[in-house]
Amino acid sequence: METLTQLSHTQPILGVRERAELVNACVRSVFSLPSVQAMQERDEAKAEDIQTLYHQTLDALQTLLNALFIEDPTPAGLKSILEPLGPWMNSGKAHERARAVNSNVSVLNHTLLTLPFFMSSGFPALGLLLGRLILRIGDPDEEIGREALDGITILYTILELQKRARDKEETNKKELYESNKRFLGPYNPVSPCQNILRVIAEFGDFLGPQQVKDLLLAALEGLKGGSEARGKDSGEMMQLASEVTLSSVLEWYRHRALEVIPEIMQGIYMQLSHIQEPRAREVALLPVSLLASSFMTEVVVALLMCPLPLDSNGAEMWRQLILRKPSCDVRDLLDLLLTSLKEKPVTKKGRASIVPLAAASGLCELLSVNSCVCRVRRIYPQLLLALLIQVHYHIGLNLPGRVAPRKDAKTNAQPPAFVPVHWVVKVVKTLLLKMGCSYEAASLEDQGGWELMGQAENHHRGVSLLARAMVHYSCQELCRILYLLIPLLERGDEKHKITATAFFVELLQMEQVRRIPEEYSLGRMVEGLSHHDPVMKVLSIRGLVILARRAEKTAKVQALLPSMVKGLKNVDGVLVVEAVHNLKTIFKGQDRKLMDSSVYVEMLQVLLPHFSDSREDVRLSCIHIYGKVVQKLRPPRTQAMEEQLINTLVPLLLIMQEGNTKVGQKCVKTLFRCSCFMTWELPKKAYSRKHWDNQPQVVAKICKYLVNTHRENAFNFLGQSLEYAKNSRASLRKSSVMFIGSLVPCMESIMTEDWLNEVKGALENLRHDPEASVCICAAQAQDHILASCWRNSWPLPRGDSWMCDPATTHRWSPSCENLPTSHQRRSWILQALNSWKMSLKQ
């Protein structure tokens, strides 16, 4: 250190960063030494030498610090020296705190004596330095407290000199120091808090917003470690000093902290992670309630920026708003949160916003405080609807950069990924339970409503289940929710409207709906039938069905039945099933004699496209409902009826061959009902679910019946089977190919060149199908068609590669080159089977 002191006079001088690293290294090596007494006890024979060397070491460090300041006598240079000393002033060891305070005071004294500069930007890190020295006034070691107060006197003198230098006043430094020493009062070891209060009061002229913020955060540093690390008496004294500092600064200079509230809240949040003792945490949280009592909006906005999901520190800061006196106005606090919950989590520029999710998290913490629950009831309907809409907004939404799962400190285990929508659903559930709706919450749990609510395609179902449960259990707040929803139905974007409508529709079961003008109930539902969103159409149908239960509305709703059914065309299968399930009640209530058969036909037209839906439950429901609707048909048969039921034949026959027992049974029943109504005489085997693989004669017999009985629809049958041959399910492609192979030969007298080309192209593609059984069936179908062509001398397309003669035993000529190896040569069927078996073994 003596060598470094000599080198400090050389050029070039050290940079700010290098100087800070040098000071930090020297300070750490000296301050971390054991106490003098401990070193002397370890080697009593050299006790005197140890004492001498110790003082020489401290003097060398102090000389080096002074030299470094002289090397760069600027505010930045002074800051680079004082900053490394700060953390040591809060050490749990008295001898380390004493060394840090002594070095700080020595540097300040050296600065006062030289003071070669005018700090236009103010004293560097004034708030932090002052705060750390103030805490040391309350140190259990009186010598440290006395020296800390002396350091504050020197600091006050420096600031006074700066002030007078601005006013160009001549001042004697020594006289000013002595005057300030008397002014700030002698050190009071019995009640050091008196000194603290006096210092804070007199430094008011030098504390701006940043200094107030730094002073508060420095006061929090004294709460780290707790009484266990420092000793019980020392810990309690530090807590008292911190509490006095925090409360007095905020009492006298609260208005100056307004612009730095976000930084103060962030600082408190960070410090709480290092403060474990309950009493110390209470002191650390004081600024939250004190600032919120005057600047609640600013504090709430700052708390909304806490990292999510909220940990125990963030949660405690939210609860502090109403748990500690002075507490903020809970009514205003809830209104602020409600306003935040009405915001979209995605801004107009497409950026994700954490505010609504943070507001929901804050509300969840406030609900854990019993005194807050009664105040929440005032705006319970608004909160509930806002949260439900936020659930819809947060589906599939990620908030990177602000939301990150943190490891558990005890188990070091990584928690499950934080999904924002699940968190908002949890807040909805908490709100219901706190408002006494435990039966409703349990009902939703049993029906899987909470999971549905958080899914994009099922959100409206989850909301409907909640509203239905609230109606069932006669929730007291339903009337308020009902009247609140009426204007909400016209506001917001699509997600907003869907959530509001899903809830509103279920409330139409209430008796109070009679008081609402018809334009807001029946009128809104009629408008929804023409909405471009299929979900809105289905919800409107549900609403109309509920209204139809009222005698005065029944006729009006029944008159809308054609519009309801038409609205379901080109709608997703799940939504169709949901809507038709609701429409059952209207169909049952209709007089069959007065019912227009065209409505039934349109219903059948809506259901038929979903026979091939990839979801089994949709196929099953649509086929079952189709059969039920056919049962309701009554003579005389119209042309539309006949055409619709004829169009059902091929889909039912093909789907029956899929091998799905449940779906197959529904197909048989529906086919039988169609046959009864149309007086068809289908072959008995047509109602069999046995696979066609080993009974090609059954397929041929069915196709022959269809062509002979419905010749004018033969090409329609072929078109349907070609369409099903493109289906994603291999079993359906296979049955379609077998059907085509038997149907085309039956159409020998009416087949056209265009249709034959289309069949050829389809079968060629299917011979390269990923599923081997489909490839084999496609090849067999081609073989069957070719044999039939030659036998019946069909007019094949000119120059077509399908041309063959008996001498070639019906083999494909040039086209076989394009087939997989397993399909080539005369015995290609057998080879394909062998190849397939080998691939399965592998």
Side-chain angles (χ1 to χ4, degrees):
M1 287 188 287
E2 288 179 346
T3 304
L4 287 168
T5 300
Q6 295 299 319
L7 290 172
S8 67
H9 303 300
T10 61
Q11 295 291 332
I13 63 173
L14 293 173
V16 174
R17 182 179 174 182
E18 294 167 321
R19 188 182 300 107
E21 290 177 354
L22 173 62
V23 172
N24 194 45
C26 294
V27 165
R28 185 171 60 251
S29 65
V30 175
F31 286 4
S32 60
L33 289 170
S35 64
V36 180
Q37 292 82 359
M39 290 188 287
Q40 288 175 330
E41 288 172 3
R42 194 178 302 166
D43 193 353
E44 294 181 359
K46 298 181 180 179
E48 189 174 341
D49 293 339
I50 289 173
Q51 178 90 13
T52 303
L53 182 58
Y54 174 74
H55 286 300
Q56 287 176 344
T57 304
L58 287 183
D59 290 343
L61 174 63
Q62 200 54 57
T63 304
L64 173 60
L65 295 179
N66 293 342
L68 291 174
F69 172 64
I70 292 171
E71 184 185 51
D72 183 20
T74 63
L78 180 59
K79 185 179 180 182
S80 68
I81 295 170
L82 292 176
E83 267 189 350
L85 302 175
W88 294 93
M89 294 175 73
N90 291 312
S91 171
K93 300 175 182 178
H95 61 274
E96 291 180 355
R97 297 198 302 275
R99 292 165 187 168
V101 171
N102 179 264
S103 294
N104 265 291
V105 173
S106 296
V107 171
L108 287 173
N109 193 44
H110 188 71
T111 304
L112 174 63
L113 294 175
T114 55
L115 202 64
F117 59 91
F118 172 64
M119 293 174 285
S120 57
S121 58
F123 194 91
L126 170 62
L128 283 174
L129 178 60
L130 178 61
R132 288 163 177 163
L133 287 171
I134 284 175
L135 289 183
R136 298 281 62 83
I137 293 176
D139 199 282
D141 189 324
E142 291 184 18
E143 288 303 315
I144 295 177
R146 201 180 305 279
E147 191 166 14
L149 182 59
D150 187 48
I152 289 173
T153 303
I154 296 170
L155 179 60
Y156 190 80
T157 303
I158 293 173
L159 295 173
E160 279 282 299
L161 287 171
Q162 290 290 306
K163 183 180 178 182
R164 296 186 182 191
R166 281 196 296 271
D167 300 336
K168 298 181 180 179
E169 296 181 19
E170 292 293 329
T171 309
N172 185 298
K173 294 180 183 179
K174 187 174 182 181
E175 290 179 0
L176 181 61
Y177 167 75
E178 293 297 333
S179 171
N180 289 336
K181 193 171 183 178
R182 292 190 298 272
F183 177 66
L184 291 174
Y187 174 68
N188 185 350
V190 178
S191 181
C193 288
Q194 296 297 324
N195 294 113
I196 293 175
L197 291 170
R198 182 66 184 270
V199 167
I200 292 172
E202 298 304 332
F203 266 79
D205 291 343
F206 306 107
L207 299 177
Q210 288 299 325
Q211 286 74 37
V212 169
K213 183 258 297 182
D214 289 342
L215 181 53
L216 291 173
L217 297 183
L220 293 176
E221 290 179 2
L223 299 170
K224 292 180 182 179
S227 56
E228 292 181 5
R230 305 171 184 272
K232 186 176 180 180
D233 294 340
S234 175
E236 289 178 355
M237 292 183 71
M238 286 300 95
Q239 287 176 16
L240 180 60
S242 294
E243 184 174 1
V244 170
T245 303
L246 290 170
S247 55
S248 57
V249 168
L250 289 173
E251 182 180 349
W252 295 332
Y253 312 121
R254 191 180 308 176
H255 59 285
R256 302 183 192 180
L258 177 60
E259 63 185 73
V260 290
I261 283 177
E263 298 168 59
I264 294 173
M265 293 299 118
Q266 184 182 11
I268 293 172
Y269 176 79
M270 299 300 293
Q271 294 285 9
L272 282 173
S273 300
H274 308 288
I275 303 172
Q276 305 303 328
E277 191 175 350
R279 174 58 187 156
R281 290 179 70 86
E282 285 183 20
V283 174
L285 288 165
L286 268 177
V288 178
S289 53
L290 288 170
L291 287 170
S293 63
S294 299
F295 312 113
M296 184 177 61
T297 302
E298 288 74 13
V299 170
V300 169
V301 169
L303 289 180
L304 289 174
M305 294 299 108
C306 281
L308 296 176
L310 285 179
D311 56 12
S312 57
N313 299 325
E316 203 166 352
M317 290 177 74
W318 276 104
R319 292 195 294 271
Q320 181 74 11
L321 294 175
I322 52 179
L323 276 176
R324 297 283 177 268
K325 300 295 181 182
S327 64
C328 59
D329 189 313
V330 178
R331 183 184 181 123
D332 293 341
L333 173 59
L334 292 172
D335 287 340
L336 273 174
L337 289 177
L338 179 59
T339 301
S340 299
L341 284 170
K342 290 179 179 179
E343 293 183 20
K344 283 187 182 181
V346 178
T347 61
K348 291 181 179 179
K349 295 182 180 180
R351 296 177 181 174
S353 168
I354 201 173
V355 171
L357 184 60
S361 301
L363 175 63
C364 193
E365 294 307 323
L366 296 181
L367 286 170
S368 66
V369 181
N370 290 332
S371 61
C372 181
V373 173
C374 59
R375 304 291 183 88
V376 171
R377 196 172 294 280
R378 177 183 62 89
I379 55 171
Y380 168 51
Q382 293 94 319
L383 286 172
L384 177 61
L385 294 174
L387 284 169
L388 289 174
I389 292 167
Q390 285 300 334
V391 170
H392 205 169
Y393 281 141
H394 280 85
I395 292 173
L397 184 67
N398 293 315
L399 302 172
R402 295 293 308 180
V403 179
R406 293 181 288 278
K407 286 188 177 181
D408 189 284
K410 295 180 180 178
T411 63
N412 199 36
Q414 192 74 27
F418 177 68
V419 182
V421 67
H422 293 169
W423 187 259
V424 185
V425 170
K426 177 190 171 184
V427 180
V428 175
K429 193 186 301 186
T430 304
L431 179 64
L432 283 173
L433 293 173
K434 288 295 181 178
M435 292 296 103
C437 298
S438 56
Y439 288 112
E440 291 86 337
S443 174
L444 228 63
E445 193 79 50
D446 294 340
Q447 299 177 71
W450 298 119
E451 289 74 20
L452 293 175
M453 198 179 288
Q455 298 168 2
E457 66 279 6
N458 291 316
H459 171 74
H460 70 281
R461 296 185 181 93
V463 173
S464 296
L465 283 175
L466 173 59
R468 211 171 300 162
M470 293 179 78
V471 172
H472 177 74
Y473 291 106
S474 303
C475 177
Q476 295 178 355
E477 304 294 336
L478 282 182
C479 281
R480 293 172 61 197
I481 295 174
L482 175 64
Y483 294 126
L484 178 66
L485 274 169
I486 292 173
L488 281 180
L489 296 176
E490 293 298 320
R491 297 178 189 168
D493 57 11
E494 293 304 308
K495 291 183 176 181
H496 186 288
K497 289 178 180 176
I498 286 173
T499 303
T501 304
F503 205 104
F504 177 76
V505 160
E506 298 302 325
L507 300 192
L508 293 174
Q509 302 174 61
M510 299 168 58
E511 283 299 317
Q512 289 81 356
V513 172
R514 297 179 187 275
R515 305 174 193 167
I516 300 175
E518 195 172 83
E519 61 182 292
Y520 296 125
S521 55
L522 185 64
R524 288 274 170 81
M525 296 301 101
V526 173
E527 289 175 12
L529 293 177
S530 56
H531 200 280
H532 66 274
D533 193 312
V535 175
M536 288 293 286
K537 292 180 180 179
V538 173
L539 289 173
S540 298
I541 289 173
R542 167 73 179 164
L544 290 168
V545 169
I546 293 173
L547 288 173
R549 298 172 189 170
R550 304 184 185 281
E552 69 274 14
K553 296 282 197 302
T554 304
K556 293 180 180 179
V557 173
Q558 288 179 344
L560 294 167
L561 192 54
S563 300
M564 288 189 256
V565 175
K566 281 181 182 177
L568 295 176
K569 289 183 178 178
N570 303 316
V571 173
D572 180 70
V574 176
L575 293 174
V576 167
V577 172
E578 182 180 347
V580 173
H581 179 73
N582 287 319
L583 285 172
K584 281 182 185 178
T585 54
I586 297 183
F587 278 111
K588 286 179 181 178
Q590 283 276 43
D591 188 336
R592 291 183 179 179
K593 294 180 181 179
L594 299 177
M595 173 68 82
D596 184 359
S597 62
S598 63
V599 176
Y600 288 127
V601 174
E602 285 188 5
M603 178 68 80
L604 297 176
Q605 290 171 352
V606 167
L607 293 168
L608 183 58
H610 302 291
F611 282 16
S612 58
D613 196 285
S614 59
R615 294 158 292 192
E616 181 185 331
D617 55 338
V618 174
R619 298 199 303 276
L620 195 66
S621 298
C622 287
I623 293 170
H624 172 68
I625 296 169
Y626 196 96
K628 291 289 185 182
V629 176
V630 170
Q631 264 189 316
K632 290 184 174 292
L633 295 176
R634 290 293 179 269
R637 298 198 302 259
T638 63
Q639 185 179 353
M641 282 184 196
E642 291 181 352
E643 287 180 0
Q644 180 60 35
L645 294 186
I646 290 170
N647 288 338
T648 312
L649 278 167
V650 171
L652 289 176
L653 289 167
L654 297 180
I655 294 168
M656 208 184 296
Q657 290 295 310
E658 272 197 281
N660 187 312
T661 305
K662 291 181 181 178
V663 177
Q665 288 172 349
K666 296 297 181 185
C667 286
V668 171
K669 287 183 180 179
T670 301
L671 181 59
F672 180 74
R673 286 166 180 165
C674 292
S675 297
C676 290
F677 181 76
M678 294 293 293
T679 63
W680 290 330
E681 294 182 0
L682 285 168
K684 290 183 180 180
K685 293 289 186 180
Y687 302 103
S688 172
R689 290 185 287 111
K690 289 183 180 179
H691 292 294
W692 290 339
D693 302 55
N694 301 321
Q695 42 184 356
Q697 69 281 0
V698 172
V699 192
K701 193 172 183 181
I702 293 171
C703 292
K704 189 174 181 181
Y705 171 82
L706 292 179
V707 174
N708 291 340
T709 311
H710 306 286
R711 181 172 291 268
E712 68 280 4
N713 296 103
F715 288 111
N716 188 28
F717 296 150
L718 182 58
Q720 285 180 310
S721 54
L722 285 169
E723 193 62 35
Y724 274 87
K726 301 173 186 175
N727 196 276
S728 59
R729 298 196 301 284
S731 58
L732 203 51
R733 295 198 300 274
K734 179 182 172 183
S735 58
S736 302
V737 168
M738 295 174 71
F739 188 83
I740 292 169
S742 296
L743 180 65
V744 172
C746 294
M747 299 170 63
E748 55 181 308
S749 60
I750 58 174
M751 182 59 68
T752 64
E753 182 176 339
D754 291 340
W755 276 104
L756 202 59
N757 278 332
E758 190 172 346
V759 170
K760 175 195 170 182
L763 293 177
E764 283 288 345
N765 291 333
L766 288 164
R767 289 183 69 184
H768 301 276
D769 194 273
E771 178 64 38
S773 62
V774 177
C775 295
I776 294 170
C777 289
Q780 288 174 337
Q782 283 182 323
D783 200 31
H784 191 199
I785 293 171
L786 273 179
S788 175
C789 290
W790 170 73
R791 184 172 59 247
N792 298 306
S793 303
W794 277 10
L796 288 175
R798 288 182 292 276
D800 198 286
S801 60
W802 280 35
M803 189 63 68
C804 57
D805 62 66
T808 60
T809 61
H810 312 311
R811 281 188 297 156
W812 302 83
S813 45
S815 63
C816 68
E817 297 174 3
N818 300 321
L819 294 174
T821 306
S822 60
H823 294 332
Q824 291 178 13
R825 297 197 302 274
R826 186 171 56 83
S827 58
W828 53 266
I829 296 178
L830 183 60
Q831 289 182 22
L833 286 169
N834 290 332
S835 176
W836 185 26
K837 288 177 183 177
M838 291 299 294
S839 67
L840 289 174
K841 288 179 181 179
Q842 291 175 359

